[in-house]
């Protein structure tokens, strides 16, 4: 099976840029999707594919990928961006499974 | 407006069964693939199961295969998860999520608010 690894916690000063990463072998074959989850709420899709944002997601959110690492970048982080962020992708074993990263808690200082 | 509303969660003893439902509205339910994703208290997200729009293709996580059954009733705009032989480690908030067009297996563009399942004696 495949795993996706994320840093447990990241912090950023208000208005600065932060990158949240996701590593895993499956990312060499598949794009990651990124989800934002605030306390007590359901996750929200923020980035998918090469670098696509669903309607309503601010353009300060962007995505990129290189080798086995996918990244979510927030340019000019806002207080409301403080949340948990999860990546996911297909399992590269070809068994039609989905894997999630363990999540990154983003703190905006 | 797309809405997904889960129900059926609650307290159940180990070894017991529970059936979750997800009522969909605001979109053509029969045209979309659907999923269940769960989150144990204080933990991360875990994919549980996928079902195609017609119900003909189904996938499960290894952790629930053989115990859980996903199904849907397109006439009732509803998604279900039958959970049998429940274990303490199945305790989680269970979300239903609609598959996004760009990747029907890993992309979830709408989520319900979740229903809590607690497995405890």
């Amino acid at each position: 099976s495949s795993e996706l690894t994320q840093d447990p916690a990241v912090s950023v000063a208000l208005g600065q840029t932060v990158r949240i990463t996701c590593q895993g072998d499956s990312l060499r074959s598949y794009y990651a999707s990124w989800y934002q989850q605030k306390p007590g709420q359901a996750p929200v899709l923020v980035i998918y594919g090469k670098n696509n944002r669903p309607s309503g997601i601010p353009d300060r959110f962007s995505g990129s990928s290189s080798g086995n690492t996918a990244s979510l970048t927030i340019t000019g982080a806002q207080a409301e961006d403080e949340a948990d962020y999860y990546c996911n992708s297909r399992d590269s074993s070809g068994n039609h499974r989905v894997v999630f990263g363990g999540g990154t808690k983003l703190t905006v200082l | 407006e797309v809405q997904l509303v889960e129900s059926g969660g609650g307290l159940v003893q180990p070894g017991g069964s529970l059936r979750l439902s997800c009522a969909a509205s605001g979109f053509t339910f029969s045209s979309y693939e659907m999923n269940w994703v769960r989150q144990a208290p204080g933990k991360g997200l875990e994919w549980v199961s996928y079902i195609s729009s017609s119900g003909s293709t189904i996938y499960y996580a290894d952790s629930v295969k053989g115990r859980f059954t996903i199904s849907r009733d397109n006439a009732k705009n509803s998604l279900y998860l039958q959970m049998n032989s429940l274990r303490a480690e199945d305790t989680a908030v269970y979300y239903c999520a609609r598959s996004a067009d760009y990747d029907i297996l890993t992309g979830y563009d709408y989520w319900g608010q979740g229903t809590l399942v607690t497995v405890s004696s």
Side-chain angles (χ1 to χ4, degrees):
Chain A
S1 63
S2 179
E3 294 183 348
L4 297 178
T5 301
Q6 297 182 242
D7 291 329
V10 172
S11 62
V12 61
L14 184 66
Q16 295 304 299
T17 296
V18 62
R19 176 175 293 181
I20 298 170
T21 61
C22 173
Q23 289 188 301
D25 287 342
S26 64
L27 300 179
R28 296 185 185 278
S29 305
Y30 302 106
Y31 286 117
S33 296
W34 289 93
Y35 300 88
Q36 175 194 68
Q37 186 180 34
K38 297 181 180 179
Q41 298 183 19
V44 173
L45 179 66
V46 293
I47 289 290
Y48 65 92
K50 190 174 183 180
N51 180 17
N52 299 288
R53 283 176 289 105
S55 174
I57 302 302
D59 60 6
R60 63 179 178 272
F61 289 88
S62 63
S64 61
S65 184
S66 178
N68 73 335
T69 301
S71 300
L72 172 70
T73 300
I74 306 174
T75 304
Q78 301 300 302
E80 60 264 32
D81 299 333
E82 185 163 293
D84 294 326
Y85 290 85
Y86 295 91
C87 60
N88 81 341
S89 82
R90 293 178 178 241
D91 184 331
S92 58
S93 66
N95 291 328
H96 302 292
R97 303 286 188 268
V98 179
V99 289
F100 276 94
T104 297
K105 168 63 179 175
L106 175 66
T107 300
V108 179
L109 303 172
Chain B
E1 177 192 8
V2 172
Q3 283 198 320
L4 299 170
V5 180
E6 302 93 337
S7 61
L11 175 63
V12 61
Q13 292 188 340
S17 298
L18 211 56
R19 188 194 196 206
L20 306 184
S21 299
C22 173
S25 61
F27 65 102
T28 304
F29 180 72
S30 60
S31 296
Y32 284 85
E33 294 75 16
M34 298 293 296
N35 307 267
W36 288 99
V37 177
R38 69 183 180 183
Q39 186 170 35
K43 303 297 184 181
L45 301 173
E46 180 187 14
W47 170 75
V48 173
S49 185
Y50 157 95
I51 186 168
S52 63
S53 56
S54 66
S56 61
T57 300
I58 287 172
Y59 304 126
Y60 296 101
D62 290 342
S63 58
V64 306
K65 194 171 185 179
R67 301 187 298 122
F68 289 12
T69 301
I70 191 172
S71 63
R72 64 190 297 161
D73 186 334
N74 287 341
K76 294 184 178 180
N77 291 336
S78 293
L79 175 72
Y80 306 102
L81 187 67
Q82 177 67 44
M83 304 185 296
N84 298 331
S85 303
L86 283 162
R87 307 165 180 167
E89 54 265 35
D90 296 319
T91 295
V93 173
Y94 284 74
Y95 296 100
C96 70
R98 191 183 81 168
S99 287
D101 291 338
Y102 71 92
D103 190 322
I104 59 175
L105 193 55
T106 69
Y108 314 127
D109 57 2
Y110 287 94
W111 297 64
Q113 85 289 350
T115 187
L116 176 63
V117 173
T118 303
V119 184
S120 175
S121 54

